[in-house]
Each structure stands twice: as C-alpha cells, then as structure tokens.
Amino acid sequence: MKIRVLGAAAGGGFPQWNCNHPNSRRARERDPAAQQRTQSSIAVSSDGDHWFLFNASPDLRHQIIANDILHPKRDLRHSPIQGAVLTNADVDHIAGLLHLRESHPLRIYGTRRVLEVLKGNPVFNVLNPKFVARTVMPLDEPIELTGPDDTPSGIVVVPFAVPGKVALWLEDAAMGPNFGTVEEDTVALEVRDTDGATKFFYVPGCASMPEALTERLRGAPMVLFDGTLWRDDEMIIANVGVKTGNRMGHMSLSGDDGTIAAFENLDVARKVFIHINTTNPVLLDDSPERAKANAAGWEVSYDGMEIAL
Ligand code: MLT
Ligand code: MN
C-alpha cells in the first residue's frame, strides 16, 4: 500500500492566513526549520495508479499540482483520483470536494451523518450527481473502496467512531455541552490491503483514548494520528484563541493524558502525527517539543511525505 501525505497541517494550514504567532511567521518567512504545510489530507493507493483521497482539504487544488501521482495521465480529461473518503464534516476535510467539480466520475464515502451534511448543502451538487456517487460507510463494517466504475481498489476500510465533536460550523449550543454531536460525526479508519498483507490506521481527529481504542491500535504497523496541539491550553497561552484543544475535540500530544503517553506501551511500529495546528511547536524542526516527540518514537508528517507499507 502506498500513502502520500498531501497536507500535514490542521485547519488553517501552516502558516494560517491571519496568524502572526512566531511559528506562523517563521513558516511565512520560509525558515527551513519551519516548513510550510497545507491542510490535512492523505492519498492512498494499492497499485500506484488509482488513488483515493482521505479527506479533501481546501488546499486540494495546490496539493494535486504538487503531487504528480495525482496528475492527469492520458486522454483530454483524466485523473488518477478515484474518490474521497471523509472522516468528518469539518471545513478542512470537505471543502476540497468543491475543487473536484467538472462532471468528473468519482465516488465519495462518508458516514450517513456526514453524507447528510453534504446533502444539506446544495453547493456540493457542483459535483454533478450524474457522475459522482455518494456511498454510505456503515460504522464497523469493512468496505472495499471502488472507483466510480466499480473497479475494486484492493483497499478495504473499516470506519469506526472515535471521541470527537460535530463540525465547528454545525455546533448547536442549544443541544448542550456536546453541541449536538452524534457518534457518526467523527470516525477513524482502519485501512487494509484486501490480501491482508498490511494495514494502518488514519485518525486525524480524536478527543481522547478510551480503552477500546487503545486495544484496537495496539501492535499496528502504522498509525497516523491527530497532532493538533502540543498542550491543551496552547492557543490560550499564545493569546491567539480562547478554546482549549479539548473544546475543539482534540487530545493533545503532551501531558499524562496526552497522545505520546497514551501510545507509550502500544507497540505501534510507526507513529506519525498529522493535522498539526500552526501553534504547535512540534512543527518546528529545532524545537525541544519536536525532540521529545522524536525521542518517544513519533514522526511529524510533512507535505509530500511518502509511506510504503
Ligand atoms: C478542527 O479540526 O477542529 C476543525 O477543523 C476546526 C475548524 O473547522 O476550523
Ligand atoms: Mn480540522
């Protein structure tokens, strides 16, 4: 299986357009130790020719240009992109679908809930329903991804609910402390070869690590995991926001209940952070936090990163 990181940053990217935090500034100034990153998405393929996007970021047009595996290869209209698998309805994960208009055959996968959100927003009909299929992924059921012409991909995904939150733009304060969040709002994906040769987990958003999730991830060949914030109050102490990571539906990397500690004894062969916020010091090659993450066996993904499993 081949994986290409299209975008390693969280919503807003690195640097975020309106952010003057020192991290964003270093990235904007092209400091080589603060490599710019676009918004969170990966592409996955079993044959290197047919690719599925896992989430579709607002930076997708740029990401396609930057990754020749996604360029048209033949005929006047062609794309190696077979479709997109969505893990939630956040802007950073669905807005890129709008780049895929032009009556091009594709297949979009999401939970019933996420596909309902798309259906409720007629702007997504720019993906001409005559050519673009929408396929529900029931929770906990293995489903082989297929192209729009039903060609099997050799890739099976198992979507499963993880702790999270309804998309920011759908929060309903009247619904109580969880803002109307339902189980299907945030999923992670177990991704396998159909021949069972290998697998990995894609978990770009996760609010906590319940025991069942720990056990599921134990011993995995690779996990790509939510790297949004280094510490829960990071945006508050940096004076760039009022929300904690917890309020946004993200567990943080550091601390006793953080991600690094949670994975300590999980025997995951390859641990990679993705969806990293512009304020997170782990983005900086020369930060003590990066050194700590690396020392704990974590890699910090970057745009263009290639992973072969
Ligand atoms: C998140 O990951 O918390 C969201 O992408 C935030 C947002 O929509 O800006
Ligand atoms: Mn996000």
Side-chain angles (χ1 to χ4, degrees):
M1 200 152 30
K2 298 169 203 309
I3 301 155
R4 177 74 59 94
V5 175
L6 302 179
F14 179 52
Q16 182 176 307
W17 71 279
N18 63 343
C19 182
N20 238 336
H21 181 281
N23 289 11
S24 285
R25 218 163 34 232
R26 284 182 64 178
R28 194 171 290 116
E29 287 164 359
R30 302 268 177 196
D31 180 330
Q35 198 182 320
Q36 295 190 355
R37 287 163 169 84
T38 61
Q39 296 168 81
S40 150
S41 171
I42 61 172
V44 181
S45 173
S46 66
D47 63 6
D49 291 328
H50 301 81
W51 291 85
F52 285 84
L53 307 175
F54 284 21
N55 292 320
S57 104
D59 297 319
L60 181 57
R61 179 179 173 278
H62 169 83
Q63 292 166 342
I64 292 171
I65 291 170
N67 288 277
D68 58 3
I69 51 169
L70 302 182
H71 294 178
K73 300 285 189 291
R74 56 175 186 273
D75 305 332
L76 277 173
R77 290 288 165 101
H78 169 255
S79 173
I81 298 172
Q82 303 298 297
V85 185
L86 307 174
T87 63
N88 62 21
D90 276 332
V91 166
D92 53 348
H93 287 165
I94 64 171
L97 293 174
L98 301 177
H99 288 298
L100 300 175
R101 61 197 190 275
E102 315 296 359
S103 293
H104 193 97
L106 295 165
R107 187 182 299 280
I108 301 172
Y109 291 91
T111 62
R112 189 171 299 283
R113 162 77 173 151
V114 167
L115 292 188
E116 268 168 19
V117 171
L118 297 189
K119 197 169 159 194
N121 283 268
V123 68
F124 288 103
N125 289 334
V126 294
L127 288 94
N128 188 338
K130 270 206 271 187
F131 298 91
V132 180
R134 298 183 187 184
T135 301
V136 173
M137 298 189 294
L139 289 184
D140 303 310
E141 284 183 23
I143 180 167
E144 179 170 6
L145 303 181
T146 66
D149 58 357
D150 297 326
T151 314
S153 66
I155 301 166
V156 171
V157 302
V158 189
F160 57 98
V162 290
K165 186 183 66 60
V166 64
L168 174 62
W169 58 279
L170 292 170
E171 284 183 6
D172 182 353
M175 298 288 279
N178 76 357
F179 306 100
T181 301
V182 297
E183 201 186 23
E184 291 196 350
D185 273 316
T186 308
V187 298
L189 303 170
E190 179 178 336
V191 189
R192 309 177 188 147
D193 279 325
T194 34
D195 60 10
T198 191
K199 69 171 181 183
F200 74 97
F201 289 89
Y202 177 58
V203 195
C206 185
S208 63
M209 274 285 255
E211 184 66 17
L213 179 56
T214 306
E215 289 318 310
R216 191 160 199 156
L217 301 179
R218 188 181 295 284
M222 182 176 77
V223 177
L224 285 160
F225 202 87
D226 184 343
T228 307
L229 300 182
W230 180 259
R231 50 183 285 175
D232 194 48
D233 58 357
E234 177 173 303
M235 293 177 37
I236 298 168
I237 56 175
N239 254 324
V240 297
V242 295
K243 288 184 189 167
T244 60
N246 187 265
R247 166 66 183 83
M248 298 188 296
H250 299 287
M251 62 190 290
S252 296
L253 277 57
S254 66
D256 291 345
D257 55 357
T259 311
I260 292 175
F263 274 76
E264 218 161 58
N265 298 309
L266 284 194
D267 287 328
V268 173
R270 207 163 166 192
K271 301 178 284 191
V272 184
F273 284 122
I274 193 161
H275 190 282
I276 309 159
N277 196 57
T278 192
T279 51
N280 190 335
V282 87
L283 284 168
L284 307 172
D285 297 349
D286 54 6
S287 69
E289 292 83 358
R290 168 68 71 81
K292 274 188 203 156
N294 289 160
W298 283 89
E299 298 169 66
V300 174
S301 66
Y302 52 87
D303 291 18
M305 182 179 189
E306 294 178 47
I307 300 170
L309 284 179

